[in-house]
């Protein structure tokens, strides 16, 4: 899926973080909802401006970022995987 029609960054919106176009919902926020256990239906019900295609674009954007290794390196002591 081409995420570009759905995801954009504007320095005037959320300090330039990638957001779903037409919203102030960042990609990171939406991924966080899913990481917290929300279902697609819960996200769509609570944020009616989102569409299934926009959610798919969030994941496509994240996947492309990971393929390009556009990651932040965290100090080992703050890693959530150290438990």
């Amino acid at each position: 899926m081409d995420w570009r029609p759905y995801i954009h960054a504007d320095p005037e919106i959320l300090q330039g973080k990638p957001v779903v176009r037409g919203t102030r919902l960042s990609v990171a926020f939406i991924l966080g909802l899913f990481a917290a256990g929300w279902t697609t239906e819960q996200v769509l019900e609570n944020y009616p401006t989102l569409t299934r295609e926009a959610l798919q674009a969030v994941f496509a954007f994240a996947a492309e970022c990971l393929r390009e290794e556009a990651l932040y390196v965290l100090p080992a002591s703050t890693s959530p995987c150290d438990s």
Side-chain angles (χ1 to χ4, degrees):
M1 162 184 227
D2 182 11
W3 53 264
R4 287 164 188 81
Y6 300 94
I7 308 296
H8 78 118
D10 179 337
E12 300 295 319
I13 301 171
L14 291 179
Q15 301 176 336
K17 291 181 180 179
V19 299
V20 175
R21 191 175 298 279
T23 76
R24 296 179 66 82
L25 299 172
S26 73
V27 168
F29 174 76
I30 293 170
L31 291 173
L33 294 176
F34 284 103
W38 285 44
T39 65
T40 299
E41 289 71 28
Q42 288 173 314
V43 173
L44 293 173
E45 285 174 18
N46 284 277
Y47 300 97
T49 58
L50 293 176
T51 63
R52 289 184 185 279
E53 293 81 13
L55 291 181
Q56 185 178 3
V58 165
F59 286 102
F61 175 82
E64 186 171 314
C65 287
L66 288 171
R67 275 192 303 275
E68 294 178 4
E69 297 183 48
L71 302 172
Y72 293 101
V73 177
L74 300 175
S77 62
T78 62
S79 173
C81 299
D82 287 345
S83 323

